[in-house]
Amino acid sequence: MNISTFLWLDGRAETLAQYYTGLFTDAGISDSGIRDIQRDAQGGVTTVDFTLGGQQYTAYNGGSQFPFTPAFSLYVECDDQQQLDLLWAGLTDGGEEGPGGSLLDRYGVTWQLMPVKLRELLSGAEPDATDRVLNALHAMTKIDIQGLVDAHDKR
C-alpha cells in the first residue's frame, strides 16, 4: 500500500510538478522528480505522479471546483538556513509570505517551512526558553534559525 498527497488542480498539474521537483532538486533535496505523466486520448495531461524528498504526490487536472485552502498545508523540515532560504525564495515567487514560516505559493498551496533545529530547540526545553523560541517564531515571516537559537539561549 502507498499513501500519497493528492493535489486537485485546474489545468496546471504538469507545470506544478515540474516547478516543485526542480526547486527541491536545486535545494539539494534528493529523491525529487517526476515519476509518471498520464494523458487523455487527445494528449492532454490528466495526472502527474512526482516525488519530493521521497514523499509521493499526485497532481490531477480536475477543474476549478475544488480550490486549495490554508486548512491544508505541506510541511517541510529544512536542514539549514541555506536550504530554507532557497525553498522560501522559490515558493514565494509569485506567491505570498505568511506568518511564522508559512507561505502561499503561486498555485495556491500553503506551505510551512521549518528548520530541523526548531524541533531540537523545543525538545526538553525549559518553559521560559520554549516561550521565547515560540514568540520569536511567531514574530517572523521567513524563519531565521539563528534568531530562534538566540531566543532560546537568552537569559
Side-chain angles (χ1 to χ4, degrees), residues 29-107:
I29 300 171
S30 61
D31 197 12
S32 298
I34 294 176
R35 295 187 339 254
D36 189 34
I37 298 175
Q38 296 88 42
R39 299 182 183 280
D40 61 21
Q42 293 76 39
V45 172
T46 56
T47 58
V48 180
D49 296 317
F50 63 102
T51 305
L52 300 175
Q55 173 67 41
Q56 295 180 18
Y57 296 84
T58 297
Y60 174 65
N61 285 328
S64 61
Q65 62 268 42
F66 299 116
F68 296 117
T69 76
F72 168 83
S73 64
L74 298 177
Y75 184 90
V76 179
E77 280 191 329
C78 300
D79 293 333
D80 54 35
Q81 190 70 52
Q82 181 181 4
Q83 189 176 69
L84 193 149
D85 290 348
L86 210 162
L87 289 174
W88 186 269
L91 290 169
T92 57
D93 181 18
E96 300 173 20
E97 294 184 347
S102 69
L103 64 92
L104 183 69
D105 74 15
R106 64 175 73 176
Y107 299 99

Side-chain angles (χ1 to χ4, degrees), residues 122 128-140 148 151:
L122 295 176
D128 288 345
T130 297
D131 286 346
R132 290 191 306 270
V133 170
L134 292 176
N135 286 335
L137 173 77
H138 295 141
M140 297 175 182
L148 297 177

